[in-house]
Amino acid sequence: MDTIKMSEDISRRRFFEVAAVSIAAAKSGIIGSANAQSGEATPAEKATIKLGTNTSFGSMKQIDAGLLNVGYAEAGPADGSAVILLHGWPYDIHSFVDVTPLLASAGYHVIVPYLRGYGTTSFLSQETMRNAQQSAVALDIIALMDALKIQTATVAGFDWGARTADVLAALWPERCKAIVSVSGYLISSPAGNQVPWPPEPAFLFWYQYYFATPVGKAGYAKYLDQFNKFIWHQASPKWNFDDATYNRTAASFHNPDHVDIVMHDYRWRLGLADGERKYDELEKRLAALPPITVPAITMEGDANGAIHAPSAAYRNKFSGKYAYRLIRGGVGHNLPQEAPQAFAQAVMDVDRF
């Protein structure tokens, strides 16, 4: 076989083109004919900030909530409108380290939790399954809201956090004032993920297939920091983050449950790991790809190196007031940290819908 040589720019462009078409074809349940409203976020109105100005959060707390003792950052007035910011993999609360003061200065009560398996969040019982299926992670946020006595909140996130925002809005719309979801509608099911991919978009999911193997789990655990730093570069090819920025987040990966949670998430998605029966009814509802009725803004960076659907493919899943924003300037997958003012602006704008 001849050696395969690809230009980085050409291959990335082709991956996106094929991925967009493949997602639309494979997930016909989320294809709609309506066009998304396009727009570009303006600078946050209440404050401005230089990218990377903040390196830590002023207030870190712990609270028992559901199955977890949750570590979370808190900022802004306690009587302000609640905003919950949710990170993904392989990231943590520092994705919102610049977004948080922008929202707090605008009068919002901001909560930024470590998801299960990250940072200072821990399981209350060693007997609890280290489960990362979508309904279980969403219920963590409902439990956190209950523990903090927050009845409704605007929920905003990316990656696992965007998926969780979508699930919350679909299953518990009475708890969501509005949502901001990077990359749109991310609800899925193991059965729905059985559609084969063409080789080029499948390449972008390489880590999911790696994680499906015992050597993948061992490799992730052994090369944890190198692995996740590589994913950062792949997912945000134009983001010139420094080692200090990465290291602040990387500390959260040394949670004792992190590897098990990450493995379960990706194996469950592919139908290679079971969930828990107590979540079956919720997963059945999610497998139907329910519409999101609360006000929503979906966003995308123009240099997102992670596979993602075109906005038209999921437009009909948002039946409430809705807008789509493409954020330009080489913005990748970690949109809140790469473009904090645009993300904060979206939260403020959707709160006014």
Side-chain angles (χ1 to χ4, degrees), residues 71-132:
Y72 66 99
E74 185 174 30
D79 60 351
S81 181
V83 174
I84 299 176
L85 304 176
L86 302 176
H87 67 83
W89 173 85
Y91 307 95
D92 81 335
I93 64 174
H94 289 87
S95 290
F96 304 102
V97 74
D98 288 326
V99 171
T100 297
L102 288 171
L103 293 175
S105 68
Y108 290 94
H109 180 203
V110 186
I111 304 295
V112 195
Y114 285 110
L115 298 186
R116 53 170 63 189
Y118 294 81
T120 59
T121 290
S122 61
F123 285 87
L124 294 174
S125 171
Q126 288 299 316
E127 304 305 314
T128 302
M129 178 181 174
R130 274 36 179 178
N131 180 350

Side-chain angles (χ1 to χ4, degrees), residues 156-159 161-163 165-166 180-186 297-301 304 308 314 332-336 343:
F158 72 106
D159 199 85
R163 178 190 66 181
D166 292 340
V180 174
S181 177
V182 176
S183 298
Y185 189 91
L186 301 181
I297 290 177
T298 65
M299 309 179 72
E300 197 64 75
N304 185 0
H308 55 280
Y314 54 74
H333 190 60
N334 186 3
L335 194 152
F343 191 86

Side-chain angles (χ1 to χ4, degrees), residues 166 169-171 185 288-294 316-319:
D166 292 340
L171 294 182
Y185 189 91
L289 304 179
I292 291 174
T293 59
V294 305
N316 72 322
K317 303 310 298 181
F318 295 89
S319 60

Side-chain angles (χ1 to χ4, degrees), residues 18-333:
V18 176
V21 173
S22 300
I23 292 171
K27 298 186 177 182
S28 57
I30 63 170
I31 296 176
S33 60
N35 292 323
Q37 300 174 30
S38 296
E40 295 184 23
T42 58
E45 296 172 347
K46 297 297 183 180
T48 58
I49 195 166
K50 182 180 179 181
L51 184 64
T53 296
N54 299 284
T55 59
S56 63
F57 294 89
S59 176
M60 292 298 303
K61 298 182 178 181
Q62 298 286 142
I63 192 169
D64 287 351
L67 301 174
L68 304 173
N69 178 261
V70 179
Y72 66 99
E74 185 174 30
D79 60 351
S81 181
V83 174
I84 299 176
L85 304 176
L86 302 176
H87 67 83
W89 173 85
Y91 307 95
D92 81 335
I93 64 174
H94 289 87
S95 290
F96 304 102
V97 74
D98 288 326
V99 171
T100 297
L102 288 171
L103 293 175
S105 68
Y108 290 94
H109 180 203
V110 186
I111 304 295
V112 195
Y114 285 110
L115 298 186
R116 53 170 63 189
Y118 294 81
T120 59
T121 290
S122 61
F123 285 87
L124 294 174
S125 171
Q126 288 299 316
E127 304 305 314
T128 302
M129 178 181 174
R130 274 36 179 178
N131 180 350
Q133 67 187 103
Q134 59 191 349
S135 57
V137 176
L139 278 169
D140 290 344
I141 306 308
I142 293 292
L144 177 62
M145 292 174 68
D146 290 344
L148 295 175
K149 297 180 171 53
I150 296 173
Q151 182 57 37
T152 60
T154 296
V155 184
F158 72 106
D159 199 85
W160 293 18
R163 178 190 66 181
T164 303
D166 292 340
V167 171
L168 290 169
L171 294 182
W172 298 282
E174 71 280 3
R175 306 300 299 270
C176 295
K177 183 178 181 181
I179 67 168
V180 174
S181 177
V182 176
S183 298
Y185 189 91
L186 301 181
I187 296 171
S188 65
S189 68
N193 288 331
Q194 295 307 304
V195 177
W197 293 93
E200 289 181 341
F203 175 84
L204 293 179
F205 274 147
W206 68 271
Y207 55 89
Q208 296 196 29
Y209 307 127
Y210 182 61
F211 290 162
T213 68
V215 72
K217 180 177 181 179
Y220 185 63
K222 182 175 181 179
Y223 299 106
L224 185 64
D225 289 328
Q226 299 98 310
F227 194 103
N228 288 341
K229 194 171 189 178
F230 180 81
I231 295 292
W232 277 35
H233 284 295
Q234 177 183 321
S236 298
K238 296 185 178 181
W239 182 31
N240 295 316
F241 60 89
D242 58 20
D243 287 344
T245 297
Y246 174 76
N247 291 337
R248 281 190 287 273
T249 286
S252 72
F253 306 145
H254 296 278
N255 181 297
D257 300 307
H258 179 77
V259 173
D260 287 338
I261 288 294
V262 172
M263 293 305 111
H264 187 265
D265 181 278
Y266 291 108
R267 292 176 179 183
W268 178 84
R269 291 188 198 189
L270 293 176
L272 301 174
D274 202 3
E276 293 179 86
R277 299 286 73 77
K278 62 183 177 179
Y279 302 122
D280 281 355
E281 182 56 35
L282 294 177
E283 293 297 345
K284 182 179 179 180
R285 291 169 60 188
L286 293 172
L289 304 179
I292 291 174
T293 59
V294 305
I297 290 177
T298 65
M299 309 179 72
E300 197 64 75
D302 66 341
N304 185 0
I307 194 169
H308 55 280
S311 60
Y314 54 74
R315 173 62 185 94
N316 72 322
K317 303 310 298 181
F318 295 89
S319 60
K321 190 167 184 181
Y322 173 81
Y324 167 77
R325 292 177 178 176
L326 177 65
I327 310 304
R328 301 190 181 278
V331 176
H333 190 60

